[in-house]
Structures are given as structure tokens and as C-alpha cells.
Amino acid sequence: MSGSSDYLRTQALSRLFLDNIYSIGSSWVTMGPHIGQVGLTYGANDMGSLMIEENVVAEAGTVYHLTLEQIRDSISELGYIPRPRNVH
């Protein structure tokens, strides 16, 4: 089973090798808030989003909950400026 170090290594390698991909997300939903935050320092430029309901992850036994304010704070703590996605 892979752990957080494998996940973060994959984040970093993705940023290096997938240079034609603009957005690489860090998933706090599956990895937890701290690893989701740390993923931003490993090459991710998106920390996921506010989840209203996440049944797939919950069924797997992983349930993390963050408010929009907590997501913004996690990004700001690293010195980044949180901004909403442009989905258009």
C-alpha cells in the first residue's frame, strides 16, 4: 500500500515530467488536509475543492472534511494566494 511519501513523490515527478499539463491537483479529500497542503510544495498548483458529498471516498473508509475557509487558510499558510478555479 502506498503512503504519503509515495503520493508526494508522484506529485513532484508529475510536475517535472508532465510539463505540458497546466494543473496538477493535490487531494486533501483522499490524503488528508496536511498532505493535501504539503502537495502544493511538491508541484501541485490546485488543492482540490470543497466537497459537498463524497460517497466514493467515504465508502473506502477515508473521510476528511474541510470548510472553504480551512482550504483557503491551508493555501495561505504556505504563502500562496488562494483563488477560485476558472471552469469555463
Side-chain angles (χ1 to χ4, degrees):
M1 184 166 142
S2 293
S4 58
S5 62
D6 287 337
Y7 178 80
L8 294 171
R9 187 177 308 117
T10 301
Q11 289 282 10
L13 290 172
S14 296
R15 176 54 68 202
L16 292 172
F17 288 101
L18 302 175
D19 60 352
N20 61 330
I21 305 294
Y22 172 75
S23 185
I24 295 176
S26 182
S27 179
W28 64 266
V29 175
T30 57
M31 297 306 294
H34 179 69
I35 298 303
Q37 179 189 41
V38 173
L40 295 173
T41 67
Y42 278 72
N45 64 334
D46 185 335
M47 194 170 155
S49 61
L50 184 63
M51 304 298 283
I52 303 299
E53 182 176 351
E54 179 44 76
N55 294 327
V56 174
V57 176
E59 286 293 320
T62 304
V63 181
Y64 297 105
H65 298 281
L66 290 178
T67 66
L68 184 55
E69 188 66 27
Q70 289 171 313
I71 294 171
R72 288 181 180 149
D73 289 346
S74 292
I75 296 166
S76 296
E77 284 175 9
L78 296 174
Y80 299 120
I81 299 169
R83 293 183 299 182
R85 286 188 197 122
N86 181 356
V87 294
H88 299 284

